[in-house]
Amino acid sequence: MRIVNVETFPLMYPLQQPYGDANGYKTFRSSFLFKITTHSGITGWGECVDWLPTLTRGFEDKIIPYLIGKQATNRFQLVQQIKKWHQRSAAGVSLALTEIVAKFSGVSITDLWGGSWRSSLPVYASMQSYTDQFEWIGHSIKHIERELHSGFTQIKVKVGGRTFKEDLMHIQQIQGLFKEGCNLIVDANESYDFATAREWERSFSNWNNLLWFEEPIPMNLAADYKLLRSCLTVPIAGGENLKSAADFLQLIQNRAIDMIQPDVMHEDGIDGYRHTLQLSRYCGLRVSPHTFDGALARLYALFAHACLPPWSKMKDQNIEPVEWDVMENPFTTITQIEPIDGQVSIPTGVGIGVEIDEKIIKRYLWDGLIN
Ligand code: MG
């Protein structure tokens, strides 16, 4: 199980039409995939997110020379060492090493982790609502209509990047579009002050289909979150950029939040990520994976979520939905998994149970030019 090779695949896709959230527009989507091979020929895929030149240089100069010759089964120690250099690379390496152990054992990732509670999971369509067009609301509404038509019943949209009035107009139009059984998530990406976040309550109290209000104010304001939670009638969620279960524990102990949102690629490895999921269950909170930056990491979020016990005894509502990027992004299909009517089947084959689409890798391989 000695590691003999690590191949890297930085991928880049410039967007035809930039889209964004309260923090600005994205002009490209990227992915950094890599394949670790052991001396017996077993391979495992990893994925991480960061600026491509940083990742490429870090892997070439430091991480690959370190990994070559090491035992792939020694995951905790290898990941801990790489984390000292670059946390997000460590998270990616933890995925590849997990797949190698699963393949060596001849089992799926979920079986390796103790077995899946469910064969499929609900996913919500995650949108970046803003474009630089004057008619951004009309553009967003058309996109939401397409996603509803394709079977999604849970949609996340952005607020906080336009005036309160304009954002409210957008949300009211969405509410007009929704049929019975459709649910909405509103994400402010930490953009509001306390008073503006609280102002939403006047509208929230009229709607019964809001799943949660995501990151209304900066996540470091735990005391304000606690206060806001007592003012609002919708659950408050957040934490996509937190790095460990210990970070989430602060929010949980302060009773500042209703739902936590860890991200596989932002935490210190898939094992640390799973600790955070379990922490939510120990503490009686809901958890919905944040997973917008890569399809392989999203697949691991699905595996981990499938292994999570129910949060409620109600059969049709006992697992939280997982984020599903529906924006223009060719890398979302790299694992060749698609939702049907807002549900994704969990692969059951050995390892990750799917083939990585190498055609996409060949087509979008980054040319090394920094833009
Ligand atoms: Mg968010």
Side-chain angles (χ1 to χ4, degrees):
M1 292 291 274
R2 208 164 22 83
I3 296 170
V4 295
N5 194 29
V6 183
E7 266 181 286
T8 59
F9 306 94
L11 309 179
M12 170 63 79
Y13 177 72
L15 291 171
Q16 289 155 28
Q17 164 75 60
Y19 50 72
D21 56 23
N23 295 324
Y25 297 119
K26 293 169 176 62
T27 56
F28 64 89
R29 299 299 295 265
S30 64
S31 172
F32 187 86
L33 288 160
F34 55 93
K35 184 157 71 173
I36 296 181
T37 306
T38 65
H39 77 282
S40 57
I42 297 177
T43 58
W45 285 96
E47 178 178 37
C48 37
V49 61
D50 208 325
W51 198 40
L52 292 181
T54 303
L55 292 168
T56 306
R57 184 79 192 266
F59 268 74
E60 277 171 10
D61 289 0
K62 199 84 177 169
I63 295 167
I64 295 174
Y66 171 73
L67 285 173
I68 300 295
K70 299 289 193 309
Q71 288 296 330
T73 45
N74 209 8
R75 183 171 73 248
F76 289 170
Q77 279 187 35
L78 299 183
V79 168
Q80 182 144 325
Q81 179 57 46
I82 295 169
K83 188 184 148 189
K84 290 177 187 166
W85 303 322
H86 192 241
Q87 173 156 351
R88 291 183 169 193
S89 297
V93 169
S94 75
L95 305 183
L97 298 183
T98 301
E99 184 185 353
I100 288 171
V101 173
K103 281 179 169 171
F104 180 71
S105 313
V107 296
S108 65
I109 301 286
T110 51
D111 282 347
L112 186 73
W113 288 343
S116 179
W117 286 77
R118 44 190 63 83
S119 58
S120 69
L121 283 167
V123 290
Y124 67 85
S126 185
M127 336 249 329
Q128 299 269 308
S129 303
Y130 301 122
T131 63
D132 55 9
Q133 295 168 326
F134 175 70
E135 234 314 294
W136 71 270
I137 292 182
H139 187 262
S140 165
I141 295 293
K142 271 196 205 117
H143 192 175
I144 292 170
E145 278 177 316
R146 280 204 306 277
E147 299 307 335
L148 292 173
H149 190 68
S150 77
F152 279 102
T153 56
Q154 307 186 84
I155 306 267
K156 179 162 94 181
V157 297
K158 300 296 186 180
V159 294
R162 295 290 190 276
T163 62
F164 183 85
K165 205 173 144 194
E166 212 175 326
D167 278 338
L168 180 58
M169 208 187 306
H170 179 218
I171 303 295
Q172 282 168 333
Q173 288 194 26
I174 298 168
Q175 292 289 19
L177 204 66
F178 273 14
K179 295 193 171 62
E180 186 68 29
C182 290
N183 292 312
L184 184 65
I185 299 156
V186 178
D187 184 2
N189 291 92
E190 308 183 89
S191 60
Y192 289 132
D193 64 341
F194 186 92
T196 315
R198 193 177 48 189
E199 210 177 325
W200 276 102
E201 175 55 23
R202 272 203 290 273
S203 301
F204 286 171
S205 58
N206 295 320
W207 300 322
N208 62 4
N209 62 353
L210 281 179
L211 290 183
W212 65 81
F213 191 13
E214 185 166 323
E215 301 199 327
I217 56 178
M219 287 308 297
N220 59 343
L221 303 176
D224 281 5
Y225 264 93
K226 185 177 180 177
L227 200 56
L228 195 57
R229 192 178 175 217
S230 67
C231 303
L232 299 182
T233 49
V234 301
I236 298 183
E240 64 194 54
N241 290 309
L242 299 188
K243 293 184 170 64
S244 70
D247 292 346
F248 282 100
L249 193 58
Q250 304 279 334
L251 284 170
I252 294 169
Q253 283 180 323
N254 279 308
R255 291 286 153 195
I257 202 156
D258 296 284
M259 175 187 277
I260 57 170
Q261 296 178 290
D263 187 306
V264 169
M265 291 207 277
H266 301 170
E267 282 221 28
D268 47 2
I270 188 65
D271 302 286
Y273 173 83
R274 294 185 62 225
H275 293 157
T276 302
L277 294 191
Q278 195 55 51
L279 183 67
S280 79
R281 288 297 187 263
Y282 290 150
C283 300
L285 266 85
R286 279 179 260 171
V287 55
S288 173
H290 177 268
T291 171
F292 195 74
D293 290 315
L296 182 66
R298 179 176 65 193
L299 180 59
Y300 275 86
L302 289 168
F303 288 143
H305 222 57
C307 293
L308 200 61
W311 67 268
S312 130
K313 290 178 183 168
M314 289 177 288
K315 223 170 175 217
D316 58 343
Q317 278 185 358
N318 65 16
I319 191 70
E320 306 87 337
V322 177
E323 183 166 28
W324 199 267
D325 177 2
V326 294
M327 302 306 292
E328 182 196 3
N329 178 5
F331 310 132
T332 58
T333 56
I334 210 153
T335 52
Q336 311 191 57
I337 295 175
E338 285 294 333
I340 297 170
D341 292 335
Q343 289 275 331
V344 169
S345 295
I346 306 301
T348 55
V350 171
I352 59 174
V354 293
E355 291 296 323
I356 295 293
D357 188 342
E358 303 214 19
K359 285 196 301 294
I360 294 179
I361 290 182
K362 281 198 186 91
R363 185 159 177 203
Y364 297 106
L365 207 56
W366 179 50
D367 58 12
L369 295 174
I370 299 167
N371 47 15

